[in-house]
C-alpha cells in the first residue's frame, strides 16, 4: 500500500545575514513536524531554502565590495550549515538563484501578463528597503514601516502590478469556507479585518531601481519583485512548469499540506500567494501556520543586531548541545504567543527537564538493572495495582502526542512525553526498588518494576525521536532496543524478555551551573570582540600602506581659505545623462546646497538620503552634466578605487564647522 504524500515547507530564509536562534526555531519546528509525519507513515517531502534577490542584497553586496552572487553564496552556505547543524531532515534546499527556479519565474510572470492579471503602471509611495515593500501614507505607523518600524523613503517608478482586487472576493470566500486554512485563528482575523475586508490594492511585482533580481524577459528594464519570486519557490521546487509540463513530483505533492512561516509574513502567504495561485489556476495550500516569535531576555525584546541581543544557534550548541537547544525552542514556544529565551531559562530547563526528569530516569533504571540483575531485564510478571496507572499512561501517551501534533501544538506534544517520564520517576519512588532488592522473595516484583520502567522509557524515547533524534537514539541504544513504530506503540510489553542493557550508562545531560555558563558567555563575547578589533586594526594598517602621490606643500593661510562643514543629505537622485554622477540636496545649517558627485558606482540614491557628510561648502560652483554643483562631498579612496564618504564619528548637527 502506497504512503499518503505530505508536502510541507518553511519560509525561505533571506540571505541578508546569518540567521539567529529565532530564525532557526522555524526550521527546527518544521523538522519535528516532518519527522513525526514520517513516523505516522506519510511520504513526506520537506522543503526549505533561501531567498536571494532584492535591493537589500544589492546594497549589502556593494558595502562588502563583492558581487551580489558572491554575497548570497556565502550567506546561503551559512544558513545551510546551521540547518544541518540542527539535524534537520529537509528533502530539498532551494535557492532562488537556482537556474530552474529563475526560468520558471520568468514563465510565470509572462503567463500572468498575457492573461491580463499583470499590467504595467507607475508606483508612487513610501518604500521600506529592509522589508522591500511599498506602503501608502495611511499604512505607515508613526510615519515608519508598519512591519519593521524602520524609516521609509518616498519612491516613484514604473512597475508591473498583479491584479489582487480581481481575486479578493474569491479569497474571502475560501477563507470563510476553510477555517483550517489560516492558523492560529488570530492570524485569520487579522488578515480579514486589516487587509481583505477594507479592500486590496494591486501588488507591485517588478522594480526598475535595482538590478539584482530575475529579469522580466520581455521588458529587461524590470526585474521581478521579491514576493512573486520568493513565494513561487513552493511550486518551482517540486517541478512546476508554467507551460504545462510539470513533473510527476509536482502532480504528487501539490497542493502543499503546510506552509510553516513566521507571523510577520502571514500577509504575503495568505493574501498575495493564494491570489498568485488562483491566477495560475492552481489549488491553494491546505494550511498556512504563522508561528510566533522567540523573544530574547526577561523583557521579551525582539532580537536584532542593533539591540545587541542576538543569540545564534551555533553558539548555543557549543554550550548546550544540539538536542538541548532543539528541546528548549520547541518546548518554550507557545502555540500562538511569543516565547522567551534567556540564559537563565535555558539552564533552568536543561537542569529540570533534561538532566533531572529524563537523564536521571534513564541512568537510574539502567544502573539498577546492572546492580541487581547484571543488566538483564526480565518481566517477573509480579504485577501490583500501582503498575496499572503507569501502563495506562504509557498507552495513552502516543494518542495524546498524535492529537497534539495534528493541531501543530508541538510544545504540548513534548509536554505529554515528559509527563510519561515524570510518571516513571514517581513510579520509582512508589515502588522503591532498593527496598525490594533486600528481600529474595521480592525478586520477581523487582524484575517487574524494572521491566515496566524500561518498557515505558522505550515508548517515551520512540515518541521523542522527532523532537530530539540524537537523544532518542542514545537512550534506545543503551537499552538495546529499537524505535517502536506508530502501530507498535499501541501495545504494551514489547520489550524482549532477557535483553541486556549497557553496562555503563551514558550521562545524557549534565547539570549546569548558571554562573559558569554566564562566565563562558562573557569569555565568548570578549573573544569575538577581540577578533573584531584585530580585523579593524588590520584594515587600518592596510590603509597606511596605500601610496598617495605627494602634492605641493601649502601654507596655513591657503588651508584656511577652505570652509568645511557637516551637511545632511535630504534628497538624492541619479544624473540621467551620466553613468557616474549622483545629485544630492545637502542641508547645511539653514541653507540647502545642490552637490553633484561621481559616486554612483559606490552608493545608491536611497543609501545617500539621511547621511551626515563632510562638505567643502565654499568651492566655486560648477556645471556637471548640465547640473549645477555648489560644493564637494569628501570621500576616502583605497588602492582599488573604492570610495567611502567621510562621515562624523559622533552625532553632529547639519552646519557644524569642521575645524
Amino acid at each position: 500500500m502506497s504512503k499518503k504524500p505530505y508536502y510541507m515547507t518553511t519560509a525561505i530564509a533571506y540571505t541578508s545575514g546569518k540567521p539567529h536562534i529565532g530564525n532557526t526555531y522555524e526550521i527546527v519546528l518544521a523538522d519535528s513536524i516532518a519527522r513525526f509525519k514520517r513516523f505516522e507513515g506519510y511520504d513526506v517531502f520537506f522543503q526549505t531554502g533561501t531567498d536571494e534577490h532584492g535591493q537589500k542584497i544589492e546594497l549589502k553586496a556593494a558595502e562588502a565590495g563583492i558581487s551580489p552572487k558572491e554575497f548570497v553564496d556565502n550567506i546561503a552556505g551559512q544558513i545551510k550549515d546551521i540547518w544541518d547543524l540542527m539535524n534537520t531532515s529537509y528533502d530539498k534546499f532551494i535557492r532562488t538563484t537556482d537556474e530552474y527556479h529563475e526560468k520558471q519565474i520568468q514563465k510565470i510572470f509572462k503567463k500572468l501578463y498575457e492573461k491580463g492579471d499583470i499590467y504595467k503602471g507607475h508606483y508612487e509611495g513610501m518604500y521600506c528597503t529592509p522589508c522591500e515593500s511599498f506602503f501608502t501614507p495611511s499604512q505607515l505607523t508613526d510615519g515608519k514601516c508598519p512591519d519593521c518600524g524602520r524609516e521609509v523613503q518616498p519612491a516613484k517608478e514604473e512597475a508591473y502590478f498583479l491584479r489582487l482586487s480581481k481575486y479578493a472576493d474569491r479569497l474571502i470566500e475560501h477563507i470563510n469556507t476553510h477555517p483550517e486554512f489560516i492558523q492560529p485563528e488570530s492570524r485569520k482575523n487579522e488578515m480579514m479585518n486589516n487587509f481583505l475586508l477594507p479592500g486590496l490594492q494591486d501588488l507591485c511585482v517588478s522594480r526598475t531601481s535595482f538590478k539584482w533580481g530575475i529579469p522580466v524577459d520581455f521588458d529587461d528594464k524590470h526585474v521581478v519583485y521579491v514576493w512573486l519570486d520568493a513565494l513561487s519557490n513552493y511550486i518551482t521546487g517540486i517541478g512546476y512548469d508554467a507551460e504545462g509540463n510539470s513533473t510527476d513530483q509536482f502532480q504528487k505533492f501539490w497542493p502543499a499540506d503546510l506552509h510553516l512561516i513566521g507571523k510577520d509574513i502571514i500577509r504575503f502567504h495568505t493574501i498575495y500567494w493564494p491570489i498568485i495561485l488562483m491566477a495560475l489556476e492552481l489549488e491553494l495550500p491546505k494550511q498556512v501556520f504563522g508561528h510566533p516569535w522567540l523573544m530574547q531576555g526577561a523583557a521579551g525584546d525582539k532580537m536584532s543586531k542593533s539591540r545587541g541581543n542576538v543569540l545564534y544557534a551555533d553558539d548555543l550548541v557549543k554550550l548546550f548541545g544540539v538536542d538541548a537547544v532543539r528541546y528548549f525552542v520547541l518546548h518554550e514556544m507557545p502555540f500562538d504567543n511569543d516565547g522567551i529565551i534567556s540564559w537563565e531559562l535555558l539552564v533552568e530547563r536543561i537542569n529540570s527537564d533534561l538532566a533531572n526528569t529524563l537523564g536521571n530516569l534513564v541512568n537510574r533504571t539502567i544502573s539498577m538493572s546492572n546492580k541487581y540483575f547484571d543488566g538483564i531485564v526480565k518481566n517477573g510478571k509480579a504485577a501490583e495495582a500501582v503498575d496499572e496507572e503507569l501502563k495506562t499512561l504509557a498507552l495513552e501517551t502516543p494518542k495524546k502526542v498524535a492529537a497534539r501534533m495534528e493541531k501543530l501544538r508541538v510544545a504540548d506534544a513534548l509536554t505529554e512525553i515528559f509527563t510519561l517520564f515524570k510518571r516513571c520517576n514517581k513510579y520509582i519512588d512508589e515502588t522503591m526498588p532498593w527496598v525490594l532488592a533486600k528481600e529474595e522473595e521480592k525478586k520477581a516484583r523487582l524484575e517487574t518494576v524494572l521491566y515496566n520502567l524500561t518498557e515505558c522509557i522505550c515508548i517515551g524515547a520512540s515518541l521523542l525521536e522527532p523532537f530530539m533524534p540524537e537523544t532518542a537514539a542514545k537512550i534506545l541504544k543503551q537499552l538495546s532496543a529499537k524505535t517502536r513504530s506508530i502501530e507498535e506503540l499501541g501495545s504494551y510489553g514489547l520489550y524482549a524478555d532477557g535483553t541486556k542493557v549497557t553496562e555503563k550508562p551514558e550521562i545524557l545531560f549534565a547539570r549546569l551551573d548558571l554562573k559558569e555558563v554566564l562566565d563562558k558567555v562573557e569569555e565568548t563575547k570578549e573573544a569575538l570582540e577581540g577578533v573584531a578589533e584585530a580585523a579593524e586594526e588590520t584594515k587600518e594598517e592596510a590603509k597606511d600602506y596605500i601610496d598617495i602621490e605627494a602634492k605641493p606643500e601649502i601654507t596655513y593661510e591657503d588651508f584656511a581659505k577652505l570652509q568645511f562643514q557637516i551637511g545632511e543629505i535630504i534628497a538624492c537622485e541619479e544624473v540621467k545623462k551620466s553613468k557616474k554622477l549622483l545629485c544630492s540636496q545637502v542641508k547645511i545649517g539653514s541653507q540647502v546646497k545642490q552637490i553633484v558627485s561621481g559616486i554612483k558606482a559606490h552608493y545608491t540614491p536611497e543609501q545617500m538620503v539621511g547621511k551626515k557628510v563632510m562638505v567643502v561648502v565654499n568651492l566655486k560652483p560648477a556645471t556637471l552634466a548640465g547640473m549645477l554643483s555648489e560644493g564637494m562631498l569628501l570621500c576616502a579612496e583605497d588602492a582599488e578605487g573604492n570610495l567611502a564618504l567621510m562621515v562624523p564619528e559622533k552625532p553632529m548637527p547639519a552646519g557644524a564647522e569642521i575645524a
Side-chain angles (χ1 to χ4, degrees):
M1 183 177 177
S2 61
K3 294 181 179 180
K4 184 178 178 181
Y6 188 90
Y7 177 39
M8 64 173 293
T9 71
T10 67
I12 49 176
Y14 197 45
T15 48
S16 58
K18 179 179 176 179
H20 57 61
I21 188 61
N23 308 133
T24 307
Y25 160 70
E26 183 175 300
I27 191 72
V28 175
L29 177 66
D31 179 65
S32 68
I33 295 168
R35 286 177 182 270
F36 196 84
K37 285 295 180 183
R38 294 190 192 105
F39 182 58
E40 290 185 306
Y42 286 86
D43 182 4
V44 173
F45 192 83
F46 169 21
Q47 180 170 298
T48 187
T50 44
D51 173 9
E52 303 187 11
H53 293 122
Q55 186 176 25
K56 188 175 180 180
I57 299 296
E58 188 173 83
L59 296 176
K60 282 184 170 287
E63 289 172 5
I66 58 178
S67 71
K69 187 61 166 66
E70 290 175 308
F71 184 88
V72 297
D73 284 348
N74 176 46
I75 301 298
Q78 291 183 35
I79 292 169
K80 192 172 186 296
D81 286 346
I82 290 177
W83 283 195
D84 292 340
L85 171 69
M86 296 310 297
N87 197 9
T88 58
S89 59
Y90 55 85
D91 297 290
K92 182 177 179 68
F93 189 97
I94 188 172
R95 297 179 58 183
T96 56
T97 52
D98 290 344
E99 183 180 359
Y100 178 83
H101 173 81
E102 291 192 339
K103 287 182 178 178
Q104 285 304 318
I105 294 304
Q106 290 179 320
K107 289 182 181 182
I108 289 170
F109 196 99
K110 188 174 183 180
K111 180 175 181 175
L112 297 183
Y113 176 74
E114 289 176 346
K115 68 179 294 191
D117 285 333
I118 286 179
Y119 64 92
K120 185 186 280 190
H122 284 81
Y123 196 93
E124 184 171 8
M126 306 305 291
Y127 184 68
C128 176
T129 299
C131 293
E132 305 211 35
S133 296
F134 280 103
F135 299 97
T136 62
S138 63
Q139 291 174 316
L140 301 178
T141 302
D142 296 327
K144 296 182 179 180
C145 173
D147 288 341
C148 72
R150 293 182 176 92
E151 297 290 340
V152 293
Q153 302 296 336
K156 180 180 180 180
E157 63 181 272
E158 180 183 272
Y160 286 91
F161 293 84
L162 176 66
R163 297 186 193 276
L164 296 185
S165 52
K166 177 179 175 180
Y167 296 95
D169 289 344
R170 182 175 160 189
L171 178 56
I172 290 170
E173 181 184 2
H174 181 84
I175 293 172
N176 285 332
T177 56
H178 296 78
E180 75 289 348
F181 177 58
I182 304 176
Q183 289 295 316
E185 181 82 8
S186 57
R187 313 273 188 257
K188 182 188 83 171
N189 296 335
E190 178 187 350
M191 293 304 103
M192 290 289 281
N193 296 331
N194 294 353
F195 297 98
L196 279 164
L197 295 179
L200 292 177
Q201 293 185 339
D202 291 347
L203 177 67
C204 176
V205 290
S206 80
R207 298 295 306 280
T208 60
S209 57
F210 61 91
K211 292 298 182 184
W212 181 239
I214 300 171
V216 175
D217 56 0
F218 57 85
D219 190 346
D220 60 9
K221 287 192 304 180
H222 293 257
V223 294
V224 179
Y225 193 34
V226 61
W227 291 109
L228 183 64
D229 168 14
L231 290 164
S232 297
N233 91 89
Y234 302 132
I235 53 177
T236 64
I238 53 172
Y240 171 75
D241 177 65
E243 294 176 345
N245 300 310
S246 299
T247 64
D248 291 341
Q249 185 183 54
F250 177 78
Q251 303 297 340
K252 175 181 179 180
F253 284 108
W254 191 261
D257 292 270
L258 175 65
H259 288 324
L260 187 69
I261 60 166
K263 66 178 184 178
D264 52 325
I265 53 173
I266 193 81
R267 179 172 86 253
F268 307 106
H269 285 78
T270 60
I271 297 178
Y272 304 160
W273 178 227
I275 287 177
I276 292 169
L277 291 169
M278 287 176 179
L280 292 172
E281 300 177 8
L282 294 175
E283 290 184 70
L284 303 195
K286 296 173 186 176
Q287 188 170 83
V288 179
F289 180 81
H291 65 75
W293 287 337
L294 189 61
M295 312 298 273
Q296 207 276 337
D301 293 325
K302 186 178 179 182
M303 285 186 218
S304 72
K305 290 182 180 178
S306 62
R307 288 192 177 102
N309 65 350
V310 176
L311 300 177
Y312 294 105
D314 49 350
D315 294 330
L316 294 173
V317 166
K318 288 174 186 175
L319 286 170
F320 306 116
V322 172
D323 273 9
V325 177
R326 282 178 64 109
Y327 175 79
F328 184 88
V329 297
L330 292 174
H331 186 267
E332 294 304 302
M333 185 68 82
F335 178 68
D336 54 3
N337 293 311
D338 295 334
I340 299 292
I341 184 170
S342 69
W343 300 112
E344 292 78 7
L345 281 173
L346 273 159
V347 170
E348 179 187 337
R349 190 60 65 205
I350 290 169
N351 285 345
S352 62
D353 293 0
L354 301 184
N356 284 359
T357 298
L358 177 58
N360 195 36
L361 169 66
V362 174
N363 189 280
R364 291 170 76 191
T365 300
I366 294 174
S367 295
M368 287 189 291
S369 294
N370 278 301
K371 182 176 181 179
Y372 303 134
F373 300 110
D374 295 324
I376 304 298
V377 179
K378 292 182 179 180
N379 187 351
K381 297 182 179 179
E384 292 185 4
V386 70
D387 302 348
E388 291 308 310
E389 185 181 337
L390 179 64
K391 290 181 181 179
T392 299
L393 182 61
L395 290 172
E396 287 178 350
T397 299
K399 300 173 188 175
K400 291 179 178 179
V401 171
R404 298 293 193 182
M405 291 300 290
E406 183 65 24
K407 295 183 180 296
L408 305 182
R409 292 185 173 270
V410 177
D412 294 337
L414 264 175
T415 296
E416 297 289 358
I417 298 169
F418 273 77
T419 296
L420 175 59
F421 291 143
K422 289 176 181 177
R423 186 65 188 83
C424 288
N425 281 312
K426 183 181 177 184
Y427 180 74
I428 293 175
D429 295 336
E430 291 170 335
T431 56
M432 295 185 290
W434 54 90
V435 174
L436 296 174
K438 294 178 180 178
E439 302 179 42
E440 181 62 28
E441 62 271 21
K442 297 289 186 179
K443 179 180 178 181
R445 177 58 186 157
L446 180 57
E447 287 178 335
T448 304
V449 167
L450 294 178
Y451 181 88
N452 285 336
L453 287 169
T454 306
E455 172 71 357
C456 290
I457 292 171
C458 285
I459 291 171
S462 297
L463 290 169
L464 193 63
E465 191 278 337
F467 314 97
M468 302 172 67
E470 290 181 356
T471 300
K474 286 179 181 179
I475 294 170
L476 293 169
K477 182 180 180 181
Q478 292 184 76
L479 297 177
S480 303
K482 63 179 183 65
T483 304
R484 305 274 175 92
S485 69
I486 195 74
E487 293 80 16
E488 288 173 328
L489 289 176
S491 302
Y492 186 90
L494 299 183
Y495 189 78
D497 222 21
T499 301
K500 183 177 176 61
V501 299
T502 186
E503 292 183 6
K504 296 181 179 179
E506 177 184 352
I507 301 297
L508 297 175
F509 298 96
R511 284 186 59 81
L512 301 172
D513 180 85
L514 177 59
K515 184 180 182 303
E516 290 179 3
V517 169
L518 293 177
D519 287 345
K520 287 181 181 178
V521 171
E522 286 304 313
E523 288 171 9
T524 302
K525 283 183 180 178
E526 289 172 6
L528 290 174
E529 288 169 0
V531 170
E533 288 173 4
E536 287 302 315
E537 288 172 5
T538 301
K539 288 180 182 178
E540 291 302 318
E541 289 168 1
K543 291 176 184 175
D544 292 340
Y545 289 98
I546 296 173
D547 292 322
I548 304 297
E549 183 179 349
K551 294 183 179 181
E553 287 185 350
I554 63 172
T555 66
Y556 179 80
E557 287 74 20
D558 290 329
F559 179 79
K561 293 176 183 178
L562 295 172
Q563 183 177 348
F564 298 91
Q565 287 178 266
I566 299 298
E568 180 179 5
I569 299 175
I570 58 176
C572 183
E573 62 181 1
E574 297 179 357
V575 177
K576 298 189 183 302
K577 296 180 182 179
S578 172
K579 294 181 179 179
K580 298 181 179 180
L581 300 178
L582 293 179
C583 180
S584 302
Q585 304 301 316
V586 186
K587 181 182 178 183
I588 305 167
S590 61
Q591 61 179 322
V592 175
K593 285 182 174 286
Q594 178 169 287
I595 299 178
V596 179
S597 310
I599 57 175
K600 190 174 180 179
H602 308 278
Y603 292 89
T604 66
E606 291 86 353
Q607 284 179 297
M608 296 288 285
V609 175
K611 283 187 179 296
K612 295 283 185 70
V613 292
M614 299 184 185
V615 185
V616 181
V617 298
N618 65 333
L619 194 66
K620 184 177 180 179
T623 300
L624 303 174
M627 303 193 76
L628 181 68
S629 182
E630 302 173 284
M632 179 183 291
L633 305 184
L634 297 185
C635 293
E637 183 178 12
D638 65 16
E640 297 176 0
N642 296 309
L643 297 181
L645 285 165
M646 302 301 292
V647 298
E649 180 186 6
K650 297 179 180 180
M652 298 294 289
E657 185 177 5
I658 300 173

